[in-house]
Amino acid sequence: MTDSKPRPVQITDLARWKADGRRFAMLTAYDYTTASLLDQAGIPILLVGDSLGGTMLGHRLRDGGPDTLPVTLEDMLSHAAAVARGAHHALLIGDLPFLSYHLGLDEATRSAGRMLKESGMQAVKLEGGGPMLEVVAHLTARGIPVMGHLGLTPQRVHAMGGLRVQGRGEGAAAQLRQEVLGLAQAGAFSVVLEGLPAQLAAELTVASPIATIGIGAGANCDGQVLVIHDMLGLTVGPVPKFVRRFAELGEATIAAATSFRDAVESGEYPSAQFSYE
Ligand code: KIV
């Protein structure tokens, strides 16, 4: 019997895509319905990002920007499980939130393990190089695939002095070169490069043995990721320069809700067509 369903994406596919020079897309998803739609659209990788702190939970920094720091592991597990129920083809990555992998290797293993065991994720993502390389090595040695995240790492927003482009200056660039290689050596299967000069991200991608996925890092990464609310035009408030709005669903939602309100207030809805005999 032949099965016409596409084979689910595996972490090993990313190495092949990089070797073949095949660019790929990743989007964030936080709920069942969106995950199901993105899966139907053939998006090969879905990230349940801790950006849900801003998009789904409304956490804000004092400057009004999105805040990921208050997001808990329980928040992530709940949204990740909903995404896993909606997507059957895409590779599913669950972000480890702030303070769920910083206190020690056991804590990191428990948090990451719960993402796989309780939420049905196939891999986790965590931010940082340096001391985090030990965490990456520990998790990957235990069979938990890890996607790294370097450059603008929102969990370090206060240390960075805001959500700012990183990697400017030779010292910062050299450190990023080391960290990309360090992540690969520690066993990470891919790395998100966020908020970097395009030229630097391109160099890192050529030098990197693992697939790079850019966001605000120019055109020459192996893959590209966007926050779903940003690219659908749903984000409340300004969006970063690198965001292209592929739809205006925020405006469409306001227009639809306004039509509904008017139809209810005028008595036009529900008409006989929308009523039971
Ligand atoms: O949390 C998130 O959505 C992310 C992406 C922006 C890469 O880390």
Side-chain angles (χ1 to χ4, degrees):
M1 203 171 79
T2 54
D3 185 357
S4 59
K5 280 193 204 152
R7 175 180 70 76
V9 179
Q10 309 281 350
I11 64 160
T12 45
D13 289 325
L14 277 74
R16 194 164 41 81
W17 296 341
K18 181 177 177 75
D20 293 349
R22 173 175 155 188
R23 291 171 184 238
F24 57 90
M26 174 163 103
L27 283 171
T28 67
Y30 316 108
D31 66 280
Y32 168 83
T33 304
T34 309
S36 167
L37 295 171
L38 298 182
D39 214 34
Q40 287 175 53
I43 298 296
I45 312 177
L46 298 184
L47 169 69
V48 187
D50 64 353
S51 52
L52 67 79
T55 55
M56 302 303 289
L57 304 179
H59 293 303
R60 289 278 169 257
L61 296 164
R62 285 194 300 182
D63 67 5
D67 193 2
T68 61
L69 294 181
V71 175
T72 65
L73 183 61
E74 300 306 321
D75 292 332
M76 293 305 303
L77 291 170
S78 165
H79 284 274
V83 167
R85 287 189 285 269
H88 307 292
H89 174 250
L91 180 69
L92 303 177
I93 318 286
D95 229 354
L96 291 181
F98 181 63
L99 222 56
S100 71
Y101 59 100
H102 301 72
L103 300 178
L105 298 176
D106 287 348
E107 183 224 23
T109 311
R110 191 169 300 109
S111 302
R114 289 185 70 193
M115 277 285 181
L116 272 58
K117 194 178 168 85
E118 297 175 30
S119 298
M121 298 290 100
Q122 277 108 42
V124 297
K125 177 170 83 56
L126 59 85
E127 295 184 7
M132 292 308 158
L133 298 182
E134 189 190 6
V135 177
V136 174
H138 191 81
L139 296 180
T140 55
R142 280 152 188 77
I144 301 175
V146 178
M147 175 180 281
H149 186 160
L150 297 174
L152 194 171
T153 44
Q155 292 176 12
R156 293 177 59 83
V157 58
H158 300 306
M160 293 183 301
L163 298 171
R164 300 168 184 285
V165 173
Q166 301 293 301
R168 290 204 163 121
E170 193 36 48
Q175 187 180 337
L176 280 161
R177 283 185 203 107
Q178 267 185 9
E179 288 182 334
V180 168
L181 296 180
L183 277 173
Q185 272 161 13
F189 71 95
S190 59
V191 56
V192 168
L193 299 178
E194 178 165 358
L196 295 180
Q199 179 61 34
L200 175 61
E203 280 170 30
L204 293 175
T205 298
V206 170
S208 173
I210 54 176
T212 65
I213 306 171
I215 174 163
N220 289 318
C221 296
D222 298 307
Q224 294 288 331
V225 56
L226 283 176
V227 167
I228 187 76
H229 285 57
D230 290 346
M231 59 85 71
L232 290 181
L234 283 168
T235 296
V236 177
V239 290
K241 169 185 170 160
F242 61 81
V243 171
R244 172 165 159 201
R245 296 163 81 113
F246 287 81
E248 291 296 346
L249 297 195
E251 283 174 15
T253 304
I254 293 171
T258 305
S259 298
F260 171 66
R261 188 200 63 202
D262 291 347
V264 168
E265 288 176 4
S266 69
E268 180 214 325
Y269 178 84
S271 57
Q273 182 195 355
F274 298 104
S275 304
Y276 297 107
E277 293 284 312

